[in-house]
């Protein structure tokens, strides 16, 4: 197999050199809702081709590599005296896998426990490439299975306008959210 980025022979979809050179996180922090912080790892322009594999046959493998190079590293370095639950936004399986479940799973560590099938959208509209106006007029209408007892880390892949993340925060209640994580924040 060849590396998707440099086309050299590789046993992985992206070789180790390209992972080091192009998939090293550049952490960015911004407020997403009230005092809740959103931590993102990549610049969209640098990984947009990889993100666009989400709905293809290789998407699962690419998202695992992105998760290992960002979320897993974050979880390893994360220090706290508290325990947290990580919840992926709408971790519904599509195309054979759930991209947010992959990201959430990578957070499993001493202080973070991933929870699955917790926050699902009742609306099945595609929000990809849609405007903020469209997203606000067509909310996801999340269903929360139950409210975990621990503080929550909310996880998504791409924050475009922030409306989906904000809707999820409101559904859970911002007092229960410690912070949010995303691969990319486009706001």
């Amino acid at each position: 197999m060849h590396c998707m980025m440099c086309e050299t022979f590789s046993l992985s979809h992206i070789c180790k050199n390209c992972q080091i050179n192009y998939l090293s996180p550049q952490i960015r922090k911004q407020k997403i809702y009230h005092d809740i912080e959103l931590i993102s790892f990549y610049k969209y322009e640098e990984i947009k081709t990889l993100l666009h594999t989400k709905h293809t046959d290789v998407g699962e493998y690419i998202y695992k590599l992105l998760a290992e190079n960002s979320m897993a590293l974050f979880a390893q370095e994360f220090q706290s005296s508290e325990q947290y639950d990580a919840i992926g936004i709408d971790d519904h399986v599509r195309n054979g896998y759930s991209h947010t479940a992959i990201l959430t799973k990578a957070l499993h560590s001493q202080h973070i426990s991933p929870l699955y099938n917790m926050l699902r959208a009742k609306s099945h509209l595609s929000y990809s490439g849609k405007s903020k106006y469209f997203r606000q007029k067509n909310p996801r209408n999340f269903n929360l299975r139950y409210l975990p007892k621990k503080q929550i880390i909310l996880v998504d892949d791409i924050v475009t306008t922030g409306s989906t993340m904000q809707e999820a925060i409101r559904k859970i209640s911002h007092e229960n959210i410690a912070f949010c994580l995303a691969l990319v924040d486009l706001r």
Side-chain angles (χ1 to χ4, degrees):
M1 156 173 24
H2 293 278
C3 171
M4 290 178 65
M5 298 183 89
C6 71
E7 297 187 7
T8 61
F9 178 76
S10 174
L11 297 176
S12 177
H13 286 83
I14 300 174
C15 71
K16 283 293 179 194
N17 282 339
C18 286
Q19 287 184 48
I20 291 167
N21 292 329
Y22 304 112
L23 298 183
S24 295
Q26 301 169 355
I27 293 178
R28 179 177 170 216
K29 298 177 181 182
Q30 287 197 111
K31 299 293 183 199
I32 184 83
Y33 186 80
H34 293 291
D35 59 342
I36 298 174
E37 193 166 59
L38 170 64
I39 301 168
S40 60
F41 298 97
Y42 299 107
K43 293 180 180 176
Y44 178 75
E45 288 301 319
E46 293 176 358
I47 66 164
K48 74 178 178 182
T49 315
L50 301 176
L51 294 169
H52 291 180
T53 67
K54 178 172 25 179
H55 303 295
T56 69
D57 293 343
V58 298
E60 178 179 6
Y61 304 105
I62 299 305
Y63 265 72
K64 283 181 182 177
L65 287 172
L66 290 169
E68 289 168 13
N69 284 283
S70 60
M71 303 283 178
L73 291 176
F74 175 86
Q76 288 172 6
E77 295 178 12
F78 182 68
Q79 297 296 315
S80 176
S81 59
E82 296 181 46
Q83 296 294 308
Y84 298 85
D85 286 326
I87 296 177
I89 291 181
D90 198 22
D91 62 356
H92 190 345
V93 174
R94 291 176 184 88
N95 302 311
Y97 72 100
S98 165
H99 59 282
T100 54
I102 288 172
L103 300 176
T104 304
K105 181 179 181 181
L107 290 169
H108 185 268
S109 64
Q110 180 181 358
H111 300 288
I112 305 171
S113 301
L115 298 178
Y116 305 101
N117 190 27
M118 291 293 294
L119 187 66
R120 294 281 177 91
K122 294 177 191 173
S123 171
H124 296 292
L125 290 173
S126 173
Y127 294 81
S128 180
K130 300 291 195 278
S131 69
K132 185 173 186 172
Y133 177 78
F134 177 86
R135 291 165 186 257
Q136 289 173 336
K137 289 293 182 191
N138 299 281
R140 296 215 181 235
N141 295 319
F142 288 114
N143 180 43
L144 179 64
R145 271 186 45 208
Y146 64 89
L147 186 60
K149 290 182 170 67
K150 300 176 194 171
Q151 283 285 108
I152 296 167
I153 300 169
L154 205 50
V155 181
D156 205 355
D157 61 337
I158 305 169
V159 175
T160 307
T161 64
S163 60
T164 297
M165 186 74 75
Q166 291 170 9
E167 183 182 350
I169 291 168
R170 285 190 301 274
K171 180 66 179 183
I172 294 170
S173 178
H174 75 278
E175 293 88 12
N176 297 310
I177 307 287
F179 56 90
C180 303
L181 296 174
L183 291 177
V184 172
D185 179 7
L186 290 170
R187 296 172 307 124

